[in-house]
Coordinates of all heavy atoms in Angstrom, one line a residue:
M1394 N 0.9 -1.2 0.0 CA 0.0 0.0 0.0 C 0.9 1.2 0.0 O 1.8 1.4 0.8 CB -0.9 0.0 1.2 CG -1.9 1.1 1.3 SD -2.9 1.1 2.8 CE -3.7 -0.5 2.6
T1395 N 0.6 2.1 -0.9 CA 1.5 3.4 -1.0 C 1.0 4.4 0.0 O -0.2 4.3 0.5 CB 1.4 4.0 -2.4 OG1 0.1 4.4 -2.6 CG2 1.8 3.0 -3.5
R1396 N 1.8 5.3 0.3 CA 1.4 6.4 1.2 C 0.2 7.2 0.7 O -0.7 7.5 1.4 CB 2.6 7.4 1.4 CG 2.3 8.5 2.4 CD 3.5 9.4 2.5 NE 3.2 10.4 3.5 CZ 3.8 10.6 4.6 NH1 4.8 9.8 5.0 NH2 3.5 11.5 5.4
E1397 N 0.2 7.4 -0.6 CA -1.0 8.1 -1.3 C -2.3 7.3 -1.1 O -3.3 7.9 -0.7 CB -0.7 8.3 -2.7 CG -1.8 9.1 -3.4 CD -1.4 9.4 -4.9 OE1 -0.3 9.8 -5.1 OE2 -2.3 9.2 -5.7
T1398 N -2.2 6.0 -1.3 CA -3.4 5.2 -1.1 C -3.9 5.2 0.3 O -5.0 5.4 0.6 CB -3.1 3.7 -1.5 OG1 -2.7 3.7 -2.9 CG2 -4.3 2.8 -1.4
S1399 N -2.9 5.1 1.3 CA -3.2 5.1 2.7 C -3.9 6.5 3.0 O -4.9 6.5 3.8 CB -2.0 4.9 3.5 OG -2.3 5.0 4.9
W1400 N -3.3 7.6 2.5 CA -3.9 8.9 2.8 C -5.3 9.0 2.3 O -6.2 9.5 2.9 CB -3.0 10.0 2.2 CG -3.6 11.4 2.5 CD1 -3.3 12.1 3.6 CD2 -4.5 12.1 1.7 NE1 -4.0 13.3 3.5 CE2 -4.7 13.3 2.3 CE3 -5.1 11.9 0.4 CZ2 -5.5 14.3 1.8 CZ3 -5.9 12.9 -0.1 CH2 -6.1 14.1 0.6
S1401 N -5.5 8.5 1.1 CA -6.9 8.5 0.5 C -7.9 7.8 1.3 O -9.0 8.2 1.5 CB -6.8 8.0 -1.0 OG -6.0 8.8 -1.8
Q1402 N -7.5 6.6 1.8 CA -8.4 5.8 2.6 C -8.7 6.5 3.9 O -9.8 6.6 4.4 CB -7.8 4.4 2.8 CG -7.9 3.6 1.6 CD -7.2 2.2 1.8 OE1 -6.5 2.0 2.8 NE2 -7.4 1.3 0.9
S1403 N -7.6 7.0 4.5 CA -7.8 7.8 5.7 C -8.7 9.0 5.5 O -9.5 9.3 6.4 CB -6.4 8.2 6.3 OG -6.6 9.0 7.4
R1404 N -8.5 9.7 4.4 CA -9.3 10.9 4.1 C -10.8 10.5 4.0 O -11.6 11.2 4.5 CB -8.7 11.5 2.8 CG -9.4 12.7 2.4 CD -8.9 13.9 3.1 NE -9.3 15.1 2.5 CZ -9.5 16.2 3.1 NH1 -9.2 16.2 4.4 NH2 -9.9 17.2 2.5
L1405 N -11.0 9.4 3.2 CA -12.4 9.0 3.1 C -13.1 8.6 4.4 O -14.2 8.9 4.6 CB -12.5 7.8 2.1 CG -12.2 8.1 0.6 CD1 -12.1 6.9 -0.2 CD2 -13.3 9.0 0.1
E1406 N -12.3 7.9 5.2 CA -12.9 7.5 6.5 C -13.1 8.8 7.4 O -14.2 8.8 8.1 CB -11.9 6.6 7.2 CG -11.8 5.2 6.6 CD -10.7 4.4 7.1 OE1 -9.9 4.8 8.0 OE2 -10.5 3.3 6.6
S1407 N -12.3 9.7 7.3 CA -12.5 11.0 8.1 C -13.7 11.7 7.6 O -14.5 12.2 8.4 CB -11.3 11.9 7.9 OG -10.1 11.4 8.6
L1408 N -13.9 11.8 6.2 CA -15.0 12.4 5.7 C -16.3 11.7 6.1 O -17.3 12.3 6.4 CB -14.9 12.5 4.2 CG -14.0 13.5 3.6 CD1 -13.8 13.4 2.1 CD2 -14.4 15.0 4.0
E1409 N -16.3 10.4 6.1 CA -17.5 9.6 6.5 C -17.9 9.9 7.9 O -19.0 10.1 8.3 CB -17.2 8.1 6.3 CG -17.3 7.7 4.9 CD -17.1 6.2 4.7 OE1 -16.9 5.5 5.7 OE2 -17.1 5.7 3.6
R1410 N -16.9 10.0 8.8 CA -17.1 10.3 10.2 C -17.7 11.7 10.4 O -18.6 12.0 11.1 CB -15.9 10.1 11.1 CG -15.5 8.7 11.3 CD -14.4 8.5 12.3 NE -13.2 9.0 11.9 CZ -12.2 8.4 11.2 NH1 -12.4 7.1 10.9 NH2 -11.1 8.9 10.9
I1411 N -17.1 12.7 9.6 CA -17.6 14.1 9.6 C -19.0 14.1 9.1 O -19.9 14.8 9.8 CB -16.7 15.0 8.8 CG1 -15.3 15.2 9.5 CG2 -17.4 16.3 8.5 CD1 -14.3 15.9 8.7
Y1412 N -19.4 13.4 8.0 CA -20.7 13.4 7.5 C -21.7 12.8 8.6 O -22.8 13.3 8.8 CB -20.8 12.7 6.2 CG -20.1 13.3 5.1 CD1 -19.5 12.5 4.1 CD2 -19.9 14.7 5.0 CE1 -18.8 13.1 3.0 CE2 -19.2 15.2 3.9 CZ -18.7 14.4 3.0 OH -18.0 15.0 1.9
A1413 N -21.3 11.7 9.2 CA -22.1 11.1 10.2 C -22.4 12.0 11.3 O -23.5 12.1 11.9 CB -21.5 9.8 10.7
F1414 N -21.4 12.7 11.8 CA -21.5 13.7 12.9 C -22.4 14.8 12.5 O -23.3 15.1 13.2 CB -20.1 14.2 13.2 CG -20.0 15.3 14.3 CD1 -20.5 15.0 15.5 CD2 -19.5 16.5 14.0 CE1 -20.4 16.0 16.5 CE2 -19.4 17.5 15.0 CZ -19.9 17.2 16.2
L1415 N -22.2 15.4 11.3 CA -23.1 16.5 10.8 C -24.5 16.1 10.6 O -25.4 16.8 10.9 CB -22.5 17.1 9.5 CG -21.3 17.9 9.7 CD1 -20.7 18.2 8.3 CD2 -21.6 19.2 10.4
D1416 N -24.7 14.8 10.2 CA -26.1 14.3 9.9 C -26.8 13.8 11.2 O -27.9 13.3 11.1 CB -26.0 13.3 8.8 CG -25.6 13.9 7.5 OD1 -25.7 15.1 7.3 OD2 -25.2 13.1 6.6
G1417 N -26.1 13.8 12.3 CA -26.7 13.3 13.5 C -26.7 11.8 13.6 O -27.6 11.2 14.3
E1418 N -25.9 11.1 12.8 CA -25.9 9.6 12.7 C -24.8 9.0 13.6 O -24.7 7.8 13.6 CB -25.7 9.2 11.3 CG -26.8 9.7 10.4 CD -26.6 9.4 8.9 OE1 -25.5 9.0 8.5 OE2 -27.5 9.6 8.1
A1419 N -24.0 9.8 14.2 CA -22.9 9.2 15.1 C -23.4 9.0 16.5 O -24.2 9.7 17.0 CB -21.7 10.2 15.1
N1420 N -22.9 7.9 17.1 CA -23.3 7.6 18.5 C -22.5 8.5 19.4 O -21.6 9.2 19.0 CB -23.1 6.2 18.8 CG -21.7 5.7 18.7 OD1 -20.7 6.4 19.0 ND2 -21.5 4.4 18.3
D1421 N -22.8 8.5 20.7 CA -22.2 9.4 21.7 C -20.6 9.2 21.7 O -19.9 10.2 21.8 CB -22.7 9.2 23.1 CG -24.2 9.6 23.2 OD1 -24.6 10.4 22.3 OD2 -24.9 9.2 24.1
E1422 N -20.2 8.0 21.7 CA -18.7 7.7 21.7 C -18.1 8.3 20.5 O -17.0 8.9 20.6 CB -18.5 6.2 21.8 CG -17.1 5.8 21.9 CD -16.9 4.3 22.0 OE1 -17.8 3.6 22.6 OE2 -15.9 3.8 21.5
A1423 N -18.7 8.1 19.3 CA -18.1 8.7 18.1 C -18.1 10.2 18.1 O -17.1 10.8 17.7 CB -18.9 8.1 16.9
I1424 N -19.2 10.8 18.6 CA -19.2 12.3 18.7 C -18.1 12.8 19.6 O -17.4 13.8 19.2 CB -20.6 12.7 19.3 CG1 -21.7 12.4 18.2 CG2 -20.6 14.2 19.7 CD1 -23.1 12.6 18.8
L1425 N -17.9 12.2 20.7 CA -16.8 12.6 21.6 C -15.4 12.5 20.9 O -14.6 13.4 20.9 CB -16.8 11.8 22.9 CG -15.7 12.2 23.9 CD1 -15.8 13.6 24.3 CD2 -15.8 11.2 25.1
A1426 N -15.2 11.4 20.2 CA -13.9 11.1 19.5 C -13.8 12.2 18.4 O -12.7 12.7 18.2 CB -13.9 9.7 18.9
I1427 N -14.8 12.4 17.6 CA -14.7 13.4 16.5 C -14.4 14.8 17.1 O -13.6 15.5 16.5 CB -16.1 13.4 15.7 CG1 -16.2 12.1 15.0 CG2 -16.1 14.6 14.8 CD1 -17.6 11.9 14.4
K1428 N -15.1 15.2 18.1 CA -14.9 16.5 18.7 C -13.4 16.7 19.2 O -12.8 17.7 19.0 CB -15.8 16.8 19.9 CG -17.2 17.1 19.4 CD -18.2 17.4 20.6 CE -19.6 17.7 20.1 NZ -20.5 18.1 21.2
E1429 N -12.9 15.6 19.8 CA -11.5 15.7 20.3 C -10.6 15.7 19.1 O -9.6 16.5 19.2 CB -11.2 14.4 21.2 CG -11.9 14.5 22.5 CD -11.7 13.2 23.3 OE1 -11.1 12.2 22.8 OE2 -12.1 13.2 24.5
H1430 N -10.8 15.0 18.1 CA -10.0 15.0 16.9 C -10.0 16.3 16.2 O -8.9 16.8 15.8 CB -10.4 13.9 15.9 CG -9.5 13.8 14.7 ND1 -8.2 13.3 14.7 CD2 -9.8 14.2 13.5 CE1 -7.7 13.4 13.5 NE2 -8.6 14.0 12.7
L1431 N -11.1 16.9 16.1 CA -11.2 18.2 15.4 C -10.4 19.3 16.2 O -9.9 20.2 15.5 CB -12.7 18.7 15.3 CG -13.5 17.8 14.3 CD1 -15.0 18.3 14.4 CD2 -13.0 17.9 12.9
Q1432 N -10.3 19.2 17.5 CA -9.5 20.1 18.3 C -8.0 20.1 18.0 O -7.3 21.1 18.1 CB -9.8 19.9 19.8 CG -11.1 20.3 20.2 CD -11.4 20.0 21.7 OE1 -10.6 19.5 22.3 NE2 -12.6 20.5 22.1
C1433 N -7.5 18.9 17.5 CA -6.1 18.8 17.3 C -5.7 18.5 15.9 O -4.5 18.4 15.6 CB -5.5 17.6 18.2 SG -6.2 16.0 17.8
C1434 N -6.6 18.5 15.0 CA -6.3 18.3 13.5 C -6.9 19.4 12.7 O -8.1 19.4 12.3 CB -6.9 17.0 13.1 SG -6.5 16.6 11.4
P1435 N -6.0 20.4 12.3 CA -6.5 21.5 11.6 C -7.1 21.2 10.2 O -8.1 21.8 9.8 CB -5.3 22.4 11.4 CG -4.3 21.9 12.4 CD -4.6 20.5 12.7
E1436 N -6.6 20.1 9.6 CA -7.1 19.7 8.3 C -8.5 19.2 8.4 O -9.4 19.6 7.6 CB -6.2 18.6 7.6 CG -6.6 18.3 6.2 CD -5.7 17.2 5.6 OE1 -4.6 17.0 6.1 OE2 -6.1 16.7 4.6
C1437 N -8.8 18.4 9.3 CA -10.1 17.8 9.5 C -11.1 18.9 10.0 O -12.2 19.0 9.7 CB -10.1 16.6 10.5 SG -9.4 15.1 9.8
E1438 N -10.6 19.8 10.9 CA -11.4 20.9 11.4 C -11.8 21.8 10.2 O -13.0 22.2 10.1 CB -10.7 21.7 12.4 CG -11.5 22.9 12.9 CD -10.8 23.8 13.9 OE1 -9.5 23.9 13.7 OE2 -11.4 24.4 14.7
R1439 N -10.9 22.1 9.3 CA -11.2 22.9 8.1 C -12.3 22.2 7.3 O -13.3 22.8 6.8 CB -10.0 23.1 7.3 CG -10.2 24.0 6.1 CD -8.9 24.4 5.4 NE -8.1 23.2 5.0 CZ -7.0 22.8 5.5 NH1 -6.4 23.5 6.4 NH2 -6.4 21.7 5.0
E1440 N -12.1 20.9 7.1 CA -13.1 20.1 6.3 C -14.4 20.1 7.0 O -15.5 20.3 6.3 CB -12.6 18.7 6.1 CG -13.3 17.9 5.1 CD -13.1 18.4 3.7 OE1 -11.9 18.7 3.3 OE2 -14.1 18.4 2.9
Y1441 N -14.4 20.0 8.3 CA -15.7 20.0 9.0 C -16.4 21.3 8.9 O -17.6 21.4 8.6 CB -15.4 19.7 10.5 CG -16.6 20.1 11.4 CD1 -17.7 19.2 11.5 CD2 -16.6 21.3 12.1 CE1 -18.8 19.5 12.3 CE2 -17.7 21.6 12.9 CZ -18.8 20.7 13.0 OH -19.9 21.0 13.7
K1442 N -15.7 22.4 9.0 CA -16.3 23.7 8.8 C -16.8 23.9 7.4 O -17.9 24.5 7.3 CB -15.2 24.8 9.1 CG -14.9 24.9 10.6 CD -13.9 26.0 10.9 CE -13.6 26.1 12.4 NZ -12.6 27.1 12.7
I1443 N -16.1 23.5 6.4 CA -16.6 23.6 5.1 C -17.9 22.8 4.9 O -18.9 23.3 4.4 CB -15.6 23.1 4.0 CG1 -14.4 24.1 4.0 CG2 -16.2 22.9 2.6 CD1 -13.2 23.6 3.2
E1444 N -17.9 21.6 5.4 CA -19.1 20.7 5.2 C -20.3 21.3 6.1 O -21.4 21.2 5.6 CB -18.8 19.3 5.6 CG -17.8 18.6 4.7 CD -18.3 18.5 3.3 OE1 -19.5 18.4 3.0 OE2 -17.4 18.5 2.4
A1445 N -20.0 21.8 7.3 CA -21.1 22.3 8.1 C -21.7 23.6 7.4 O -22.9 23.8 7.5 CB -20.5 22.7 9.5
L1446 N -20.8 24.4 6.8 CA -21.3 25.6 6.1 C -22.2 25.2 4.9 O -23.2 25.7 4.7 CB -20.1 26.4 5.7 CG -20.5 27.7 4.9 CD1 -21.4 28.6 5.7 CD2 -19.2 28.4 4.4
M1447 N -21.7 24.2 4.2 CA -22.5 23.7 3.0 C -23.9 23.2 3.5 O -24.9 23.5 2.9 CB -21.7 22.6 2.3 CG -20.6 23.1 1.5 SD -21.0 24.3 0.2 CE -21.8 23.2 -0.9
K1448 N -23.9 22.4 4.5 CA -25.1 21.9 5.0 C -26.0 23.0 5.5 O -27.2 23.0 5.2 CB -24.8 20.9 6.2 CG -26.0 20.2 6.7 CD -25.6 19.1 7.7 CE -26.8 18.3 8.2 NZ -27.2 17.3 7.2
E1449 N -25.5 24.0 6.1 CA -26.3 25.1 6.6 C -26.9 25.9 5.4 O -28.0 26.3 5.4 CB -25.5 26.0 7.5 CG -26.2 27.3 8.0 CD -27.4 27.0 8.9 OE1 -27.6 25.8 9.4 OE2 -28.3 27.9 9.0
L1450 N -26.0 26.1 4.4 CA -26.5 26.9 3.2 C -27.6 26.1 2.5 O -28.6 26.7 2.1 CB -25.3 27.1 2.3 CG -24.3 28.1 2.7 CD1 -23.1 28.1 1.8 CD2 -24.9 29.5 2.9
V1451 N -27.5 24.8 2.4 CA -28.5 24.0 1.7 C -29.8 24.1 2.6 O -30.9 24.3 2.0 CB -28.1 22.6 1.5 CG1 -29.2 21.7 1.1 CG2 -26.9 22.5 0.5
R1452 N -29.6 24.0 3.9 CA -30.8 24.0 4.8 C -31.5 25.4 4.6 O -32.8 25.4 4.5 CB -30.4 23.8 6.2 CG -31.6 23.7 7.2 CD -31.2 23.7 8.6 NE -30.6 24.9 9.0 CZ -31.2 26.1 9.3 NH1 -32.6 26.1 9.2 NH2 -30.6 27.2 9.7
R1453 N -30.8 26.4 4.6 CA -31.4 27.8 4.5 C -32.1 27.9 3.2 O -33.1 28.5 3.0 CB -30.4 28.8 4.7 CG -29.9 29.1 6.1 CD -29.0 30.3 6.1 NE -28.2 30.3 7.3 CZ -27.3 31.1 7.6 NH1 -26.9 32.0 6.7 NH2 -26.6 31.1 8.7
S1454 N -31.4 27.4 2.1 CA -32.0 27.6 0.8 C -33.2 26.8 0.5 O -34.0 27.2 -0.3 CB -30.9 27.2 -0.3 OG -29.8 28.0 -0.2
C1455 N -33.3 25.7 1.2 CA -34.4 24.8 1.0 C -35.5 24.8 2.0 O -36.5 24.0 1.9 CB -33.9 23.4 0.8 SG -32.7 23.2 -0.5
C1456 N -35.4 25.6 3.0 CA -36.3 25.5 4.1 C -37.8 25.9 3.8 O -38.7 25.5 4.4 CB -35.9 26.3 5.4 SG -35.8 28.0 5.1
Q1457 N -37.9 26.7 2.7 CA -39.2 27.2 2.4 C -39.9 26.3 1.3 O -41.1 26.5 1.1 CB -39.1 28.6 1.8 CG -38.5 29.6 2.8 CD -39.4 29.8 4.0 OE1 -40.6 29.7 4.0 NE2 -38.7 29.9 5.2
E1458 N -39.1 25.5 0.7 CA -39.7 24.7 -0.4 C -39.4 23.2 -0.2 O -38.5 22.8 0.5 CB -39.1 25.1 -1.7 CG -39.3 26.5 -2.1 CD -38.6 26.9 -3.4 OE1 -38.3 26.0 -4.2 OE2 -38.3 28.1 -3.5
Q1459 N -40.3 22.4 -0.7 CA -40.1 21.0 -0.6 C -39.8 20.5 -2.1 O -40.5 20.9 -3.0 CB -41.3 20.3 -0.1 CG -41.1 18.8 0.2 CD -42.3 18.2 0.9 OE1 -43.3 18.8 1.1 NE2 -42.1 17.0 1.3
A1460 N -38.8 19.6 -2.2 CA -38.4 19.1 -3.5 C -39.6 18.2 -4.0 O -40.2 17.5 -3.2 CB -37.2 18.3 -3.3
P1461 N -39.8 18.2 -5.3 CA -40.7 17.3 -5.9 C -40.3 15.8 -5.6 O -39.1 15.5 -5.5 CB -40.6 17.5 -7.4 CG -40.0 18.9 -7.5 CD -39.2 19.1 -6.3
Q1462 N -41.3 15.0 -5.4 CA -41.0 13.6 -5.0 C -40.0 12.9 -5.9 O -39.1 12.2 -5.5 CB -42.3 12.8 -4.9 CG -42.1 11.4 -4.4 CD -41.6 11.3 -3.0 OE1 -41.9 12.2 -2.2 NE2 -40.8 10.3 -2.6
D1463 N -40.1 13.1 -7.3 CA -39.2 12.4 -8.2 C -37.8 12.9 -8.0 O -36.8 12.2 -8.1 CB -39.7 12.5 -9.6 CG -39.7 13.9 -10.2 OD1 -40.0 14.8 -9.4 OD2 -39.4 14.1 -11.3
L1464 N -37.6 14.2 -7.7 CA -36.3 14.8 -7.5 C -35.7 14.2 -6.2 O -34.5 13.8 -6.2 CB -36.4 16.3 -7.4 CG -35.0 17.0 -7.1 CD1 -34.0 16.7 -8.1 CD2 -35.2 18.5 -6.9
A1465 N -36.5 14.1 -5.2 CA -36.0 13.6 -3.9 C -35.6 12.1 -4.1 O -34.5 11.7 -3.6 CB -37.1 13.7 -2.9
E1466 N -36.3 11.4 -4.9 CA -36.0 10.0 -5.1 C -34.7 9.8 -5.9 O -33.8 9.0 -5.6 CB -37.1 9.2 -5.8 CG -38.3 9.0 -4.9 CD -39.5 8.5 -5.6 OE1 -39.4 8.1 -6.8 OE2 -40.6 8.4 -5.0
R1467 N -34.5 10.7 -6.9 CA -33.3 10.7 -7.7 C -32.1 11.1 -6.9 O -31.0 10.5 -7.0 CB -33.4 11.6 -8.9 CG -34.4 11.1 -10.0 CD -34.2 11.8 -11.3 NE -34.0 13.3 -11.3 CZ -34.9 14.2 -11.4 NH1 -36.1 14.0 -11.7 NH2 -34.5 15.5 -11.4
I1468 N -32.3 12.0 -6.0 CA -31.2 12.4 -5.1 C -30.8 11.3 -4.2 O -29.6 11.0 -4.0 CB -31.5 13.7 -4.3 CG1 -31.6 14.9 -5.3 CG2 -30.5 14.0 -3.2 CD1 -32.2 16.2 -4.6
R1469 N -31.8 10.6 -3.6 CA -31.5 9.5 -2.7 C -30.8 8.4 -3.4 O -29.8 7.8 -2.9 CB -32.8 9.0 -2.0 CG -33.2 9.8 -0.8 CD -34.3 9.1 -0.1 NE -35.6 9.1 -0.8 CZ -36.5 10.1 -0.7 NH1 -36.2 11.2 0.0 NH2 -37.6 10.0 -1.4
A1470 N -31.2 8.1 -4.7 CA -30.6 7.1 -5.5 C -29.1 7.5 -5.8 O -28.2 6.6 -5.7 CB -31.3 6.9 -6.8
R1471 N -28.9 8.7 -6.1 CA -27.5 9.2 -6.4 C -26.6 9.1 -5.2 O -25.5 8.7 -5.3 CB -27.6 10.6 -7.0 CG -26.2 11.1 -7.4 CD -25.7 10.3 -8.5 NE -24.4 10.7 -8.8 CZ -23.7 10.3 -9.9 NH1 -24.2 9.4 -10.7 NH2 -22.5 10.7 -10.1
I1472 N -27.2 9.4 -4.0 CA -26.4 9.3 -2.8 C -26.0 7.9 -2.6 O -24.8 7.6 -2.2 CB -27.2 9.9 -1.6 CG1 -27.2 11.4 -1.7 CG2 -26.5 9.5 -0.3 CD1 -28.2 12.1 -0.7
T1473 N -26.9 6.9 -2.8 CA -26.6 5.5 -2.6 C -25.5 5.1 -3.6 O -24.6 4.4 -3.2 CB -27.9 4.7 -2.8 OG1 -28.9 5.1 -1.9 CG2 -27.6 3.2 -2.7
V1474 N -25.6 5.5 -4.8 CA -24.6 5.2 -5.8 C -23.2 5.7 -5.4 O -22.2 5.0 -5.4 CB -24.9 5.7 -7.2 CG1 -23.8 5.7 -8.2 CG2 -26.1 5.0 -7.8
E1475 N -23.2 7.0 -4.9 CA -21.9 7.6 -4.5 C -21.3 6.9 -3.3 O -20.1 6.7 -3.2 CB -22.1 9.1 -4.3 CG -22.3 9.9 -5.6 CD -21.2 9.7 -6.6 OE1 -20.0 9.8 -6.2 OE2 -21.5 9.5 -7.8
R1476 N -22.2 6.6 -2.3 CA -21.7 5.9 -1.1 C -21.1 4.5 -1.5 O -20.1 4.1 -1.0 CB -22.8 5.8 -0.1 CG -23.0 7.0 0.7 CD -24.0 6.8 1.8 NE -24.1 8.0 2.6 CZ -25.1 8.2 3.4 NH1 -26.0 7.3 3.7 NH2 -25.2 9.4 4.1
T1477 N -21.8 3.8 -2.4 CA -21.3 2.5 -2.8 C -20.0 2.7 -3.6 O -19.0 1.9 -3.3 CB -22.3 1.9 -3.8 OG1 -23.6 1.7 -3.1 CG2 -21.9 0.5 -4.2
R1478 N -19.9 3.7 -4.4 CA -18.6 3.9 -5.1 C -17.5 4.3 -4.2 O -16.4 3.7 -4.3 CB -18.8 5.1 -6.1 CG -17.6 5.4 -7.0 CD -17.8 6.5 -7.9 NE -18.0 7.8 -7.2 CZ -17.0 8.5 -6.7 NH1 -15.8 8.1 -6.9 NH2 -17.2 9.6 -6.1
I1479 N -17.7 5.1 -3.2 CA -16.7 5.4 -2.2 C -16.3 4.2 -1.5 O -15.1 4.0 -1.3 CB -17.2 6.6 -1.3 CG1 -17.3 7.9 -2.1 CG2 -16.3 6.7 -0.1 CD1 -18.0 9.0 -1.3
T1480 N -17.2 3.4 -1.0 CA -16.9 2.2 -0.2 C -16.1 1.2 -1.1 O -15.2 0.7 -0.6 CB -18.2 1.6 0.3 OG1 -18.9 2.5 1.1 CG2 -17.9 0.3 1.1
Y1481 N -16.5 1.1 -2.3 CA -15.9 0.1 -3.2 C -14.4 0.5 -3.5 O -13.5 -0.3 -3.5 CB -16.7 0.0 -4.5 CG -16.0 -0.9 -5.6 CD1 -16.0 -2.3 -5.4 CD2 -15.3 -0.3 -6.7 CE1 -15.4 -3.1 -6.4 CE2 -14.7 -1.1 -7.6 CZ -14.7 -2.5 -7.4 OH -14.1 -3.3 -8.3
H1482 N -14.2 1.8 -3.7 CA -12.9 2.3 -4.0 C -12.0 2.3 -2.8 O -10.7 2.3 -2.9 CB -12.9 3.7 -4.6 CG -13.4 3.7 -6.0 ND1 -12.7 4.1 -7.0 CD2 -14.6 3.4 -6.5 CE1 -13.3 4.0 -8.1 NE2 -14.5 3.6 -7.8
R1483 N -12.5 2.2 -1.6 CA -11.7 2.2 -0.4 C -11.1 0.8 -0.2 O -10.0 0.7 0.4 CB -12.5 2.4 0.8 CG -12.7 3.9 1.1 CD -13.2 4.2 2.5 NE -13.5 3.0 3.3 CZ -14.4 3.0 4.3 NH1 -15.1 4.0 4.5 NH2 -14.5 1.9 5.0
E1484 N -11.7 -0.2 -0.7 CA -11.3 -1.6 -0.4 C -10.1 -2.0 -1.4 O -9.8 -1.4 -2.3 CB -12.4 -2.6 -0.6 CG -13.5 -2.3 0.4 CD -14.7 -3.2 0.3 OE1 -14.8 -3.9 -0.7 OE2 -15.6 -3.1 1.1

């Protein structure tokens, strides 16, 4: 395994933890670990801030309107495809 491959896998795992944290999907133990890590890792803290800002911007932009059902279904399907792709490429 090369250093670049290792970094990429580590990066993907960090992003998954950040997304789970932001989406309220992390358990209490994971939340504590993520918060502690963010305090000592500027790179992950920066990524967290970017993702948190994006999530907030989307929330603000969409709070007045509801997506059409077919759009919501296409988005969910695309998320599933991307998560599968990310998981597959990690292995």
Side-chain angles (χ1 to χ4, degrees):
M1394 183 180 303
T1395 67
R1396 182 180 180 118
E1397 183 176 315
T1398 303
S1399 177
W1400 182 87
S1401 296
Q1402 289 175 347
S1403 174
R1404 181 84 168 150
L1405 289 172
E1406 290 169 3
S1407 293
L1408 286 173
E1409 285 180 1
R1410 286 191 294 271
I1411 288 171
Y1412 295 147
F1414 178 60
L1415 286 169
D1416 293 340
E1418 297 173 352
N1420 62 32
D1421 291 341
E1422 184 178 327
I1424 290 170
L1425 181 60
I1427 291 167
K1428 286 181 178 181
E1429 288 176 357
H1430 180 75
L1431 291 175
Q1432 291 177 354
C1433 65
C1434 181
E1436 185 177 348
C1437 287
E1438 181 185 29
R1439 183 175 55 249
E1440 193 70 40
Y1441 167 78
K1442 287 179 178 179
I1443 290 168
E1444 295 300 328
L1446 178 60
M1447 289 296 292
K1448 187 173 183 75
E1449 178 63 19
L1450 290 172
V1451 169
R1452 186 188 66 76
R1453 285 186 199 173
S1454 297
C1455 299
C1456 68
Q1457 300 300 322
E1458 299 175 26
Q1459 187 171 9
Q1462 186 62 32
D1463 64 324
L1464 175 60
E1466 289 172 9
R1467 288 195 324 257
I1468 291 170
R1469 280 192 287 276
R1471 184 62 185 189
I1472 289 170
T1473 300
V1474 167
E1475 289 301 316
R1476 282 187 176 165
T1477 301
R1478 184 181 63 79
I1479 288 170
T1480 302
Y1481 177 75
H1482 286 247
R1483 275 192 4 206
E1484 297 175 352

